[in-house]
Amino acid sequence: ITIDPSNVSDTLTDFPVFVDLADLGGDFWSGVASDGGDIRLTTGDGTTEIARSVVAVDTGSESGELYFQAPTLSSTSSNTFYLYYNNPSASDYAATSTYGREAVWDNGYLAVYHFNDDPGGTAPQLIDQTSSGYDAETLNMASGNQLSGYIGDGYEFNGVDEYVFSTNAGTNGI
C-alpha cells in the first residue's frame, strides 16, 4: 500500500488509515481468511508490524473495511506499507492486543463506532473500537434502519425518537 505524499497535508503521527478491501485484487480474495483474521500490516521495511482493525470482510462480494495505524505519514515522500494474508494458522488479534483494534484508535479518540451491527439487534449494538469501552445502544430502531454508507454501513434516524446512546460514557456525554 503506497500513500502519495500529495494526499497528506502535513506530517501525521499515529494516524488511522482506511483501506477499502474491495480495491484489492483476486489473489487477495482467493487467499484471505473468511474473517480476515490472517491480515497483517507492516511499515515499509516489511517486518515492523503495526496495529490494524478488520471491521468487515465478505469474501463472497469481495468487499470489506480495514483500518491500520500508520506510525507516521509524510507529506514530502511516499509512504509504503505492506499487507500480508493467506496464513491458515493465523487468527485475529484480541481487541486489546498490541496489534489489535484498540491500538489503531489510541491517539486521543474518545469512541469509534462503525455502524456495521444490526441496530435492531441485541444491545449493545455498537461496540466502541477504542479502549474507552463506550459501547452504545440504539433506541426505537429496527434492522431496516441500517443502510449502506459511503464507507461501510450507516444508520438512518427518523429525527424524532430514534437515537444511539452510551450508558457507560458518564460525564463525557456520548
Side-chain angles (χ1 to χ4, degrees), residues 132-172:
S132 300
Y134 297 146
D135 296 345
E137 300 177 21
T138 63
L139 185 67
N140 300 321
M141 297 182 79
S143 298
N145 289 97
Q146 187 175 25
L147 305 170
S148 293
Y150 183 72
I151 297 175
D153 291 330
Y155 290 174
E156 179 179 50
F157 300 89
N158 67 8
V160 178
D161 65 349
E162 296 174 338
Y163 59 92
V164 171
F165 67 99
S166 177
T167 58
N168 59 352
T171 59
N172 292 315

Side-chain angles (χ1 to χ4, degrees), residues 37-112:
D38 63 334
I39 297 173
R40 302 294 188 262
L41 282 114
T42 69
T43 60
D45 67 8
T47 58
T48 304
E49 193 167 356
I50 53 180
R52 92 292 186 272
S53 173
V54 179
V55 176
V57 171
D58 186 332
T59 54
S61 66
E62 296 186 354
S63 63
E65 181 179 348
L66 174 133
Y67 295 83
F68 68 88
Q69 188 184 69
T72 54
L73 288 175
S74 172
S75 60
T76 59
S77 60
S78 289
N79 302 275
T80 301
F81 302 91
Y82 291 98
L83 185 146
Y84 296 92
Y85 60 95
N86 200 13
N87 181 349
S89 63
S91 60
D92 204 2
Y93 289 115
T96 57
S97 151
T98 301
Y99 306 116
R101 71 165 196 250
E102 290 179 2
V104 174
W105 306 104
D106 69 350
N107 197 12
Y109 290 88
L110 187 59
V112 173

Side-chain angles (χ1 to χ4, degrees), residues 14-40:
D14 297 332
F15 189 81
V17 174
F18 166 70
V19 177
D20 185 348
L21 297 177
D23 292 338
L24 302 181
D27 287 343
F28 174 78
W29 291 109
S30 66
V32 70
S34 62
D35 66 353
D38 63 334
I39 297 173
R40 302 294 188 262

